[in-house]
Amino acid sequence: MNFQIREHLDEFNVLPETQSGFRPGYSCTTALLTVTDDIITAIDRGKSSLLLLLDYSKAFDTLNHDLLISILHFVGFSKDAVKLMTSYLLGRMQYVSTDKGDSSRQTVSCGVPQGSTLGPLLFSIYTCYLPQCLKNCRVHLYADDTQLYFSFFPENKDNALTLINSDINNLLSYSNSHNLKINSKKSSILLFGKDKDNIQASIDIMVGNDKLQCVSSARNLGLIIDNNFRFNSHISKCVQKAYANLKMLYPHRHLLSQLLKIRLTDALVLSNFNYCDVIYNPCLEINTSDRIQKVQKSCLRFIYGIRKYDKVSHKLKDANWLNMKSRRILHSVVLFHNIISYRRPPYLAKKITFRTDVHNLNLRFRGKISPPPHRTSMFRRSYSYNIYYLYNQLPDYLKMLEPKTFKYSFKKYLINTQ
């Protein structure tokens, strides 16, 4: 059912392009990449940006069955398919089981089955027309996680707030009609731009009767974003978790082989820095990058029994590891290669312009990405700049590889050049 529904949705472009939840080629990373890229591009042009992180209360549990069935019919499900989905949704019961017995059974009158394959997909269909209610703000969705953002010149902040509040009211009307409730206490605002300190005091955005709080950093799809795009808070959390996991391994160091130590530290310690490293890699300050590298050095000391102040960098090749900066570059370029190869997700593929797209006779630069125009050094933290900067440095033979073999070959290339 999941496979057939997805085929239908893709064929008729039912889901909005900016819905990244549970779709092949889409991810939290790609969703955050496009949002951060748009905001950094706006800052480069002298604008400020407001990012609204909206949270829906128990969204998957409040979905209206009758409305969902009507939407399925509207998006092209046949009568038999609608009957099948009606049978799947309706007539479910729930109860609580304890050692002393079971509670009485109650009918589940709304929501989709939690943990099911179809649950997130049905919710995405249920909210597929949400972007159409917004007239001014840009929106990006990941299942029920909703991000609205709006860029403006500082002198136009009053008009910008009016337009944003207008869209919030439209979104509230849409949400209420779909039995969804925005939780204002878990929603927040991030303000970006040079004049953010002067503008912040005048920010007045309401969700119903509640005013949204403007914060300096917030968790967005698992990544802690700050309004300076330095990600210091996120890295601090990752370092804390990494050292905590390494500390748990230390008492057992005499019982583990070197190979097992390498695998455990890679899986339990260094993996803490994998999530969304494509986004924060170009934004890190030198001291923050050094903090991450020190974690890897601690892992090497643990694996090979090296004393605290002795050099360990020469052990990277023995462990078949890249240093942490090269590791982040590997993850970035692999993602970029997939985007270029599959042209997915479209919202990131559209941001890439090859030089041959501009001038077909420019044979010298065939396969090169055109440098995006920019004004400030801030732009170097963006996806648009980094895909140009990193991908153009690749040898031509690597660019020709299929995505399935590209990662292994590129890692080998980085190990030989680091």
Side-chain angles (χ1 to χ4, degrees):
M1 289 170 67
N2 180 63
F3 177 77
Q4 291 182 56
I5 292 171
R6 287 189 183 278
E7 273 199 332
H8 174 81
L9 299 179
D10 291 340
E11 182 179 354
F12 295 100
N13 294 318
V14 173
L15 297 182
E17 185 180 284
T18 54
Q19 171 59 270
S20 294
F22 309 98
R23 302 174 71 181
Y26 296 70
S27 65
C28 292
T29 298
T30 62
L32 291 168
L33 263 181
T34 192
V35 172
T36 54
D37 184 76
D38 289 341
I39 292 173
I40 291 172
T41 301
I43 294 172
D44 181 68
R45 295 171 181 171
K47 295 183 177 182
S48 297
S49 295
L50 278 170
L51 173 63
L52 284 68
L53 307 177
L54 302 179
D55 180 83
Y56 281 99
S57 298
K58 298 182 178 179
F60 281 54
D61 294 329
T62 58
L63 184 148
N64 185 294
H65 289 161
D66 293 334
L67 182 55
L68 174 59
I69 291 166
S70 297
I71 293 172
L72 294 177
H73 180 74
F74 184 76
V75 299
F77 279 46
S78 66
K79 289 184 178 180
D80 288 340
V82 170
K83 286 181 180 179
L84 178 61
M85 297 309 301
T86 302
S87 174
Y88 175 77
L89 290 167
L90 301 184
R92 291 181 177 271
M93 308 291 287
Q94 65 181 9
Y95 68 97
V96 177
S97 179
T98 67
D99 293 340
K100 297 181 179 179
D102 300 340
S103 69
S104 59
R105 284 162 169 73
Q106 300 291 329
T107 301
V108 180
S109 58
C110 59
V112 291
Q114 292 280 0
S116 65
T117 302
L118 291 181
L121 183 60
L122 291 175
F123 185 86
S124 296
I125 299 172
Y126 188 70
T127 57
C128 65
Y129 295 107
L130 184 151
Q132 296 182 14
C133 75
L134 304 172
K135 307 301 180 185
N136 309 295
C137 295
R138 303 178 77 170
V139 61
H140 207 102
L141 308 167
Y142 191 92
D144 60 325
D145 287 292
T146 305
Q147 304 176 65
L148 303 185
Y149 54 106
F150 186 84
S151 299
F152 56 93
F153 289 105
E155 58 269 22
N156 298 330
K157 67 177 186 302
D158 293 335
N159 183 52
L161 293 174
T162 300
L163 295 176
I164 293 170
N165 278 308
S166 173
D167 269 359
I168 290 290
N169 290 331
N170 292 338
L171 182 61
L172 278 172
S173 299
Y174 176 92
S175 300
N176 291 333
S177 67
H178 285 67
N179 205 31
L180 300 171
K181 183 180 179 182
I182 298 176
N183 186 346
S184 57
K185 293 182 180 179
K186 291 186 178 181
S187 302
S188 56
I189 305 172
L190 284 168
L191 175 62
F192 303 89
K194 289 190 301 184
D195 296 324
K196 58 180 178 291
D197 295 333
N198 298 327
I199 299 173
Q200 185 167 338
S202 60
I203 299 297
D204 187 18
I205 295 178
M206 307 292 292
V207 173
N209 297 322
D210 299 322
K211 181 179 178 179
L212 292 185
Q213 183 181 3
C214 195
V215 297
S216 59
S217 64
R219 186 177 293 276
N220 185 13
L221 296 179
L223 179 69
I224 301 174
I225 298 180
D226 58 84
N227 56 13
N228 294 315
F229 283 119
R230 286 302 185 186
F231 300 97
N232 291 328
S233 296
H234 182 78
I235 298 304
S236 294
K237 291 283 187 183
C238 292
V239 169
Q240 185 180 359
K241 289 179 182 177
Y243 277 126
N245 288 350
L246 184 59
K247 186 178 179 181
M248 287 193 299
L249 293 175
Y250 251 95
H252 313 287
R253 62 189 180 278
H254 301 300
L255 305 175
L256 304 172
S257 66
Q258 280 189 0
L259 179 59
L260 193 51
K261 287 178 184 178
I262 291 171
R263 291 178 176 175
L264 286 172
T265 50
D266 192 36
L268 300 177
V269 182
L270 300 183
S271 62
N272 286 283
F273 301 100
N274 291 353
Y275 183 70
C276 287
D277 59 356
V278 178
I279 299 166
Y280 68 69
N281 175 50
C283 304
L284 296 181
E285 296 173 304
I286 294 175
N287 61 336
T288 309
S289 181
D290 289 344
R291 289 179 66 198
I292 299 173
Q293 188 57 45
K294 284 180 181 178
V295 176
Q296 189 181 52
K297 289 181 178 179
S298 296
C299 291
L300 291 172
R301 296 184 198 283
F302 166 75
I303 293 166
Y304 295 105
I306 300 174
R307 292 181 299 178
K308 185 174 182 181
Y309 296 105
D310 291 347
K311 291 185 178 180
V312 292
S313 299
H314 62 285
K315 289 294 185 180
L316 280 170
K317 281 196 174 182
D318 292 346
N320 197 32
W321 280 357
L322 296 166
N323 63 47
M324 295 306 286
K325 183 176 181 180
S326 296
R327 185 182 172 114
R328 294 192 295 271
I329 291 174
L330 172 67
H331 296 161
S332 300
V333 176
V334 168
L335 176 61
F336 297 160
H337 187 66
N338 287 340
I339 292 169
I340 291 169
S341 299
Y342 297 123
R343 307 299 297 174
R344 194 170 57 200
Y347 52 74
L348 289 179
K350 289 175 182 176
K351 293 176 180 285
I352 307 168
T353 303
F354 286 92
R355 295 196 178 188
T356 47
D357 296 337
V358 180
H359 197 300
N360 216 19
L361 300 178
N362 198 347
L363 300 179
R364 181 182 174 187
F365 298 107
R366 184 173 296 278
K368 298 284 187 181
I369 296 174
S370 295
H374 59 281
R375 303 172 183 173
T376 65
S377 59
M378 177 72 173
F379 190 77
R380 294 178 184 176
R381 306 180 202 176
S382 69
Y383 157 81
S384 295
Y385 179 85
N386 278 276
I387 192 170
Y388 143 76
Y389 178 74
L390 293 176
Y391 201 75
N392 280 1
Q393 295 183 47
L394 285 181
D396 290 338
Y397 80 91
L398 285 174
K399 295 179 183 178
M400 302 300 292
L401 295 177
E402 292 292 325
K404 292 180 181 178
T405 58
F406 177 82
K407 182 175 181 179
Y408 171 78
S409 299
F410 184 49
K411 181 179 179 181
K412 186 177 179 181
Y413 169 80
L414 288 174
I415 287 176
N416 291 333
T417 56
Q418 74 175 353

